[in-house]
Structures are given as structure tokens and as C-alpha cells.
Amino acid sequence: MRSSTVSIRSSIAPGAQHPPSAENLAGLNQKKKEAEAVDALQRASALFLQRLEGLGDDCEAMADAGAVLGEVLAQWPQMFRILNLFLAARGGLATYAEGAGMETDGDPSPLPPGERLVRVPIDELQQAEQK
């Protein structure tokens, strides 16, 4: 049986520590700088992600606002029809039934396709925006 030579080596012997060489210190410093750069990159990436998510939220809010605006703009023809009916009835130019397209029995005719009044759900939009 042969005895182990590991305990003879000075680099492994207990209590024997050599001062780190300049090359090892330079390599260690370089690795520290790389680790700090990676941390800074991760922080910058997280901030960039937050900004992009904020832009995404803003775009969603603008899309919702555009949909509501489209619904409101679609109501303008109905509003002008109602105003014309009011002015006609007020001025005596036409009767309400004639201007509104009502039948003689008093039932209003259905609205043309695409013309309807819209309620804008402001409270619901604000609650969704806060979430």
C-alpha cells in the first residue's frame, strides 16, 4: 500500500495559504466588474419592461377611448334627426309624427341600422384602469 501524497502538497496542507497572485486578483476584479455590469443590465431591463408595460396600458386605454368615441360619433345622425324634429315641432313646419316617421297609430318606426344611443361606462372604465 502506498501512502497518499495529498497532505504533502503545500497548496492543500492545512493552514498553508499563499497570497493571491496579481493575475488572480486581476481576473477576480474583472469577474466582479462583469457581475456588476450584468446586474446593471438586469436593472435597466426591468425598468425598460416597466416602461413598455406602461405604454401597453396607455395603448389599451386609447383603444378603449377610440371605441367609445366611435360609438358616440355613430350617434350624431340620430342627434341631428332629434334636433330637426324638435325644431320642426317648435317652428310649426311639420308635426312630430311626420318628422319622426311615426305611423298614425303612434308607434315609432325602428331606428335605421347603426343609429342608437350609447351609454359611456365611465365608472367601469375607471375601475378597470385602477386595477
Side-chain angles (χ1 to χ4, degrees):
M1 289 261 164
R2 193 173 135 182
S3 65
S4 175
T5 58
V6 174
S7 62
I8 301 171
R9 292 184 192 166
S10 62
S11 63
I12 298 178
Q17 291 187 359
H18 294 287
S21 67
E23 290 178 11
N24 288 343
L25 286 177
L28 180 63
N29 286 336
Q30 183 65 27
K31 293 297 180 184
K32 284 182 181 179
K33 288 179 184 179
E34 288 176 8
E36 289 172 0
V38 168
D39 288 340
L41 181 62
Q42 287 176 342
R43 286 190 303 270
S45 297
L47 181 61
F48 186 66
L49 177 64
Q50 287 176 347
R51 288 181 180 177
L52 285 177
E53 287 174 345
L55 286 173
D57 292 341
D58 291 345
C59 288
E60 288 177 8
M62 289 187 336
D64 292 341
V68 170
L69 178 64
E71 291 176 2
V72 169
L73 289 177
Q75 300 308 309
W76 279 105
Q78 178 71 10
M79 186 60 148
F80 286 126
R81 187 176 75 82
I82 292 169
L83 286 174
N84 285 334
L85 290 174
F86 173 75
L87 292 175
R90 188 173 151 214
L93 299 175
T95 63
Y96 176 76
E98 292 172 355
M102 297 179 72
E103 302 295 328
T104 55
D105 61 355
D107 292 333
S109 64
L111 293 175
E115 291 188 13
R116 60 185 170 91
L117 296 177
V118 176
R119 180 184 166 275
V120 179
I122 294 174
D123 296 333
E124 296 171 11
L125 289 174
Q126 288 175 346
Q127 289 175 355
E129 197 173 279
Q130 290 174 354
K131 291 180 182 178

